[in-house]
Amino acid sequence: MPGSAAATTSGVRHVVSAQQFDRARLEALFAAARQMEGVLAAGGDDRLRGRLLATLFYEPSTRTRLSFESAMLRLGGQVISTENARDFSSAIKGESLEDSIRIVAGYADAIVLRHPEEGAAARAAAVAPVPVLNAGDGPGEHPTQSLLDLYTIEREMGRIDGLRVVMVGDLAHGRTVHSLARLLTVFERVHLTLAAPAAVRMRADVRALLRARGAEVTETDDLRTAVAGADVVYQTRLQRERFAESTGEEGEAAVGLAERFRITPELMARLGPRAIVLHPLPRVGEIDPAVDADPRAAYFRQARNGVAVRMALLAELLL
Ligand code: CP
């Protein structure tokens, strides 16, 4: 699958996992995203005129849904959307995801899907005659978020090879870090430090993949030490909505440790002057707002990059 979008239905190109992207495709996508920044500065264009995107969200979203919709509209396309498909689509009447996808595919040229169940995007792709883009499948993956994360790292740091990246927080349930860890293995000499409480350490399948690909990985529960020498600190929130599926004990243990994993001005003093702090957002206390004014706080620039990256991806898939 590396190097091409998964072609699971009659050659249709889907984006289900970060593992579909190899270095050449990433570099081409990032070059296109740079050009899209120019298109945005010029007020957009109409290269996707006549094309229609459906955004089908069974879980809440601010950034992913609106940035995809913004990207489509900026390229002259149109959007149909359901922002709470769990309650306001026929899912509430018992319609299967597969049937819903078959129907929506008859109305649109591509589908952006967020769903609470891991594997939902792959199930959708298996029946969709139009591209399905995984906008988050439960605790599984969030590949387009990792594309904009990586684009931001490249844009801010000027390179990805050889960087020291620290991932922090709920690495068990955070789908963005599952995708970003996969993408980082495409680059050379990237050192990954996984800083998390033991109860929410990086999940085993991602650790196994990192090992299989020969990635340099360190695990720790000491963020203060981990950030020394880091180029990128990627913070995540505790995924409280996922704990209902886990034991309460696990959730409480992680919550009890959360303070030790907070990014504060004091922690920033341990970071180098060229380092950056990223977060997929939303944040719920794990980055002190006092950090926002620090030029190394790149998370709002990161969110903004989502539009250009998604414009590039939509153009790649729909033209
Ligand atoms: N980063 C991210 O996925 O944000 P939303 O949940 O707001 O889409």
Side-chain angles (χ1 to χ4, degrees):
M1 191 155 61
S4 63
T8 53
T9 47
S10 309
V12 178
R13 306 176 76 209
H14 307 288
V15 176
V16 172
S17 167
Q19 268 171 262
Q20 293 170 235
F21 291 83
D22 65 10
R23 187 167 184 145
R25 187 174 177 204
L26 288 170
E27 286 174 354
L29 188 72
F30 293 169
R34 275 287 186 144
Q35 288 175 358
M36 291 300 182
E37 288 190 31
V39 171
L40 279 170
D45 65 24
D46 63 357
R47 74 184 74 186
L48 292 184
R49 184 199 298 266
R51 311 292 275 169
L52 189 55
L53 179 71
T55 55
L56 190 55
F57 277 59
Y58 293 80
E59 280 191 334
S61 168
T62 297
R63 279 145 290 273
T64 311
R65 188 171 67 85
L66 293 180
S67 64
F68 260 117
E69 294 184 2
S70 174
M72 190 66 180
L73 295 168
R74 296 286 192 196
L75 291 175
Q78 292 179 294
V79 175
I80 54 174
S81 182
T82 173
E83 63 180 295
N84 183 1
R86 194 157 21 185
D87 294 331
F88 296 129
S89 76
S90 285
I92 199 85
K93 302 175 208 163
E95 184 168 66
S96 70
L97 173 65
E98 284 81 356
D99 277 0
S100 296
I101 292 293
R102 288 183 181 103
I103 298 303
V104 176
Y107 304 154
D109 300 304
I111 300 170
V112 179
L113 174 70
R114 173 168 289 186
H115 197 279
E117 290 168 21
E118 185 164 352
R123 283 169 49 207
V127 299
V130 301
V132 170
L133 295 97
N134 181 3
D137 59 331
E141 282 211 53
H142 195 344
T144 69
Q145 175 70 44
S146 66
L147 293 174
L148 76 93
D149 296 340
L150 205 58
Y151 179 71
T152 302
I153 293 171
E154 203 273 337
R155 216 176 173 315
E156 297 272 334
M157 307 300 293
R159 67 189 166 97
I160 298 166
D161 291 324
L163 292 182
R164 299 183 71 82
V165 178
V166 181
M167 291 183 175
V168 192
D170 184 352
L171 306 184
H173 306 95
R175 55 197 174 197
T176 69
V177 285
H178 300 160
S179 289
L180 183 57
R182 287 177 164 93
L183 272 194
L184 284 170
T185 64
V186 167
F187 293 85
E188 291 172 19
R189 294 172 285 100
V190 173
H191 186 282
L192 202 50
T193 300
L194 307 174
V200 288
R201 69 186 287 216
M202 180 62 87
R203 52 190 256 180
D205 62 334
V206 179
R207 281 186 281 120
L209 178 103
L210 293 171
R211 267 198 310 276
R213 293 199 171 172
E216 290 178 47
V217 182
T218 306
E219 284 195 272
T220 181
D221 64 357
D222 181 0
L223 180 59
R224 288 166 61 85
T225 306
V227 298
D231 298 299
V232 179
V233 177
Y234 190 99
Q235 176 66 294
T236 63
R237 75 182 165 87
L238 192 69
Q239 303 277 306
R240 289 171 197 273
E241 67 273 33
R242 308 280 173 227
F243 285 123
E245 299 153 21
S246 314
T247 68
E249 194 180 326
E250 182 191 36
E252 282 310 306
V255 171
L257 288 171
E259 192 58 31
R260 287 175 38 217
F261 292 86
R262 213 161 168 251
I263 297 182
T264 61
E266 187 273 331
L267 192 91
M268 294 296 284
R270 294 171 167 266
L271 266 184
R274 291 254 310 127
I276 56 170
V277 175
L278 301 180
H279 191 309
L281 304 176
R283 64 174 162 183
V284 285
E286 62 282 343
I287 298 180
D288 187 330
V291 172
D292 294 357
D294 189 312
R296 296 169 297 175
Y299 29 91
F300 294 122
R301 298 193 292 276
Q302 174 190 4
R304 204 160 41 244
N305 287 337
V307 177
V309 170
R310 287 174 171 131
M311 286 166 75
L313 192 58
L314 289 172
E316 185 203 287
L317 293 172
L318 289 173
L319 286 177

